[in-house]
């Protein structure tokens, strides 16, 4: 068969700075309307093998793109408020969170970074691909368009930065038979 793009799940565990928040990771997962598997690219350097002639590329590093998830807005605004508060806990904004912090202070990385898990499923409900992005945190909430003449569902995107993406069980792609050939 073929893999379906509509059979997926996003799992975002609330960071330490958000423990006690009303919104649970399960609820966030249910409101994820669209996402992607994390992308990657190789950084390359061009050179001429003999100092002249055709140019060749050699890889020297891995680069990960920012990760964007589209969410539906819930009827109480909890999902939007969760990400807004998360970002405010990373960089305090112009209003201190408590009397011990000043505006625009940056939190410690271990307090705001989490792992984001993405799973795709087949029609039988079996996981076919699973990826984890480590040390992820939101970097942007774009403007949300509001319009009196539109009666649709509120949608907004959250952009995340992360350190590394891993395809789980990727070693299953290579069998011992393939290694022997």
């Amino acid at each position: 068969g073929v893999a379906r793009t509509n059979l997926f799940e996003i799992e975002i565990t609330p960071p330490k700075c958000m423990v006690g928040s009303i919104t649970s990771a399960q609820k966030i997962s249910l409101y994820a309307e669209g996402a992607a598997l994390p992308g990657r690219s190789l950084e390359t350097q061009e050179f001429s093998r003999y100092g002249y002639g055709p140019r060749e590329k050699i890889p020297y590093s891995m680069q990960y793109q920012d990760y964007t998830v589209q969410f539906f807005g819930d009827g109480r605004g909890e999902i939007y408020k969760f990400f807004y508060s998360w970002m405010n806990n990373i960089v305090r904004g112009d209003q201190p969170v408590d009397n011990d912090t000043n505006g625009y202070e940056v939190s410690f990385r271990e307090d705001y970074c989490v792992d984001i898990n993405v799973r795709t499923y087949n029609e039988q409900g079996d996981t076919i691909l699973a990826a984890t992005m480590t040390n992820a945190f939101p970097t942007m909430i774009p403007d949300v368009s509001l319009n009196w003449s539109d009666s649709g569902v509120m949608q907004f995107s959250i952009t995340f930065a992360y350190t590394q993406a891993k395809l789980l069980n990727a070693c299953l792609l290579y069998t011992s038979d393939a290694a022997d050939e």
Side-chain angles (χ1 to χ4, degrees), residues 12-20 82 86 110-114:
I12 301 172
T13 305
K16 288 181 188 177
C17 67
M18 297 295 293
V19 171
F82 174 80
W86 187 356
E110 62 268 10
D111 291 335
Y112 63 82
C113 285
V114 299

Side-chain angles (χ1 to χ4, degrees), residues 50-165:
Y50 304 108
Y52 60 91
R55 311 253 325 140
E56 296 181 28
K57 290 185 179 183
I58 58 168
Y60 64 88
S61 181
M62 178 75 68
Q63 185 64 40
Y64 299 101
Q65 292 90 26
D66 285 346
Y67 187 71
T68 302
V69 180
Q70 295 82 34
F71 290 96
F72 287 122
D74 63 286
R76 296 178 60 193
E78 290 180 13
I79 305 297
Y80 188 88
K81 288 187 278 188
F82 174 80
F83 289 110
Y84 190 90
S85 296
W86 187 356
M87 289 180 73
N88 198 52
N89 277 295
I90 296 171
V91 177
R92 299 282 191 244
D94 59 355
Q95 296 295 319
V97 175
D98 54 40
N99 292 332
D100 295 333
T101 59
N102 296 315
Y104 300 107
E105 280 187 355
V106 178
S107 295
F108 292 105
R109 188 174 182 87
E110 62 268 10
D111 291 335
Y112 63 82
C113 285
V114 299
D115 289 349
I116 296 177
N117 298 307
V118 183
R119 289 179 200 83
T120 63
Y121 300 100
N122 60 18
E123 285 86 1
Q124 292 74 38
D126 302 321
T127 301
I128 56 172
L129 292 171
T132 297
M133 288 156 284
T134 58
N135 294 319
F137 60 94
T139 60
M140 186 170 117
I141 302 173
D143 295 341
V144 177
S145 295
L146 305 172
N147 188 333
W148 281 104
S149 64
D150 183 8
S151 61
V153 176
M154 178 188 284
Q155 294 179 330
F156 57 93
S157 299
I158 305 294
T159 301
F160 296 91
Y162 58 97
T163 305
Q164 182 178 352

Side-chain angles (χ1 to χ4, degrees), residues 40-44 59-63:
R40 58 172 47 185
S41 61
L42 295 176
E43 299 288 319
T44 61
Y60 64 88
S61 181
M62 178 75 68
Q63 185 64 40

